[in-house]
Amino acid sequence: MFPTHRPRRLRTHPQLRRMVRETVLNTSDLIYPLFAVPGDGIANEVKSMPGVFQLSIDKIVEEAKEVYDLGIPSIILFGIPADKDIDATGAWHDCGIVQKATTAVKKAVPDLIVMNDTCLCEYTSHGHCGYLETGDLTGRVLNDPTLELLKKTAVSQAKAGADIIAPSGMMDGFVKAVREGLDEAGFQDIPIMSYAAKYASAYYGPFRDAADSAPQFGDRKTYQMDPGNAREALKEIELDIAEGADMLMVKPALSYMDVILRVKEASNLPVAAYNVSGEYSMVKAAALNGWVDEERIVMETLTSFKRAGADLILTYHAKDAARWLGAS
Ligand code: PBG
Ligand code: ZN
């Protein structure tokens, strides 16, 4: 009558639970996103992302030191340029905001791994991730002309000192183009973290406030993936691996745990999960209302990404998580 198998035996003491825990989150798993703006002494809180700021380069450097002191190994930089145009000049210019921020951070904190997001949407006048014919209001992003711009962007970022290039535009052949560009410029040792399976998601809404990168017309559905597709993610990663990706990312994370698992099982490369802006904002909103326990929700969520197969997690919660990990 009574059960012989009693899983509860291993749950009787905190130390015992700790001993048999299968998945453990580490500070070394975390990557912290930062937004660079022109100017000096600037820290603008993003309205839809409490605790996240657009920072001028002097403040980015301070933040980078803090992140490093917390034991977080890496940041990823996004930029909001002073001017935007049809050629996304601010993305690939050697004096672009991300290039300048990267150089400043590497000088101040050489051992912090600086990733650069390689995309055009923050720099194009229309907010799309690629090149459009002047005056084209249909939002038909031209694939191959975009590759040339992405190549230039990646090379300028590597020249500025970026340790890892993270192309995120979901153009066909973007990993190959970026790899070729880096190799030709002598950056054979700079790894590529590909946004391999990136979905056309409503969860990016707050990021577009933070990065001022909402498309002015149309949407991103002709280049980002349809949320209903998981097998197609395997096609995308197969291509990115063949093109030379060193790490693969799944984005967003929370509603795509099945994709994280499939990508993990289908490849030998490190897998990153991007816990995106909307996922962060929902937790923050609920926590600020006192409706959920922020620390427990965040730690459970981040641990679950790892359980699903993520080796690395890009998250706006990184600094808080590092503090909570340090305290436990
Ligand atoms: C740029 C890019 C986006 C995000 C990361 N890189 C936005 C988008 O595709 O519109 C979103 C990150 C987030 O929501 O936190 N292509
Ligand atoms: Zn983009």
Side-chain angles (χ1 to χ4, degrees):
M1 250 6 334
F2 296 105
T4 40
H5 294 285
R6 290 180 179 268
R8 289 183 56 196
R9 281 180 193 132
L10 297 180
R11 298 178 197 142
T12 53
H13 192 282
Q15 290 287 27
L16 198 49
R17 293 195 292 273
R18 197 173 147 232
M19 287 165 69
V20 299
R21 189 164 296 141
E22 297 169 39
T23 306
V24 180
L25 182 71
N26 299 304
T27 308
S28 57
D29 305 325
L30 305 172
I31 300 165
Y32 189 54
L34 287 171
F35 299 95
V37 284
D40 206 50
I42 295 171
N44 296 328
E45 191 161 25
V46 180
K47 273 205 186 64
S48 52
M49 299 180 75
V52 172
F53 297 81
Q54 297 177 332
L55 301 170
S56 52
I57 291 174
D58 54 318
K59 296 279 183 188
I60 292 259
V61 169
E62 281 175 26
E63 191 77 358
K65 286 183 186 150
E66 193 184 328
V67 167
Y68 181 74
D69 289 341
L70 282 166
I72 298 167
S74 179
I75 59 170
I76 181 163
L77 288 177
F78 297 93
I80 299 104
D83 300 299
K84 300 176 187 247
D85 59 26
I86 193 88
D87 296 313
T89 308
W92 46 264
H93 202 279
D94 286 342
C95 299
I97 182 78
V98 161
Q99 286 80 356
K100 287 204 293 199
T102 298
T103 305
V105 169
K106 286 307 293 184
K107 184 160 175 247
V109 201
D111 292 332
L112 184 68
I113 299 295
V114 176
M115 298 191 183
N116 280 184
D117 178 89
T118 305
C119 199
L120 306 183
C121 49
E122 293 123 58
Y123 309 92
T124 49
S125 34
H126 43 68
H128 277 287
C129 299
Y131 186 76
L132 262 71
E133 260 358 318
T134 311
D136 179 352
L137 296 183
T138 62
R140 200 169 48 95
V141 169
L142 301 177
N143 197 83
D144 299 3
T146 303
L147 297 182
E148 290 308 310
L149 296 175
L150 288 175
K151 216 171 172 171
K152 279 195 347 190
T153 304
V155 171
S156 73
Q157 292 172 335
K159 273 205 251 166
D163 298 294
I164 297 177
I165 297 297
S168 69
M170 290 299 281
M171 296 297 123
D172 292 335
F174 69 144
V175 172
K176 179 163 180 276
V178 164
R179 185 71 270 159
E180 274 173 11
L182 291 172
D183 289 353
E184 280 162 19
F187 295 109
Q188 290 88 351
D189 290 336
I190 300 287
I192 294 176
M193 180 172 78
S194 173
Y195 285 63
K198 177 174 176 180
Y199 289 86
S201 172
Y203 284 99
Y204 307 151
F207 173 94
R208 293 177 188 171
D209 293 341
D212 184 26
S213 65
Q216 299 302 300
F217 48 85
D219 53 43
R220 303 209 201 290
K221 292 179 184 168
T222 68
Y223 41 103
Q224 298 180 347
M225 289 173 58
D226 190 286
N229 294 358
R231 281 191 305 149
E232 189 188 1
L234 299 181
K235 181 73 200 167
E236 286 282 358
I237 66 155
E238 184 190 321
L239 291 171
D240 287 7
I241 294 168
E243 291 176 26
D246 300 282
M247 296 189 255
L248 302 169
M249 192 203 293
V250 174
K251 178 184 169 198
L254 209 45
S255 354
Y256 298 86
M257 295 263 198
D258 57 322
V259 179
I260 296 174
L261 177 61
R262 289 205 207 191
V263 168
K264 181 58 169 254
E265 287 177 342
S267 86
N268 305 320
L269 299 182
V271 176
Y274 201 138
N275 177 211
V276 300
S277 56
E279 299 170 354
Y280 173 86
S281 299
M282 292 194 304
V283 169
K284 279 299 207 190
L288 288 167
N289 272 296
W291 295 339
V292 296
D293 178 328
E294 183 174 5
E295 175 174 345
R296 289 194 56 203
I297 286 265
V298 169
M299 296 313 259
E300 180 178 334
T301 306
L302 300 182
T303 302
S304 299
F305 295 147
K306 279 204 80 178
R307 194 194 61 240
D311 301 289
L312 296 165
I313 304 165
L314 298 94
T315 180
Y316 306 97
H317 298 292
K319 287 200 305 176
D320 287 333
R323 283 191 202 103
W324 293 324
L325 284 168
S328 67

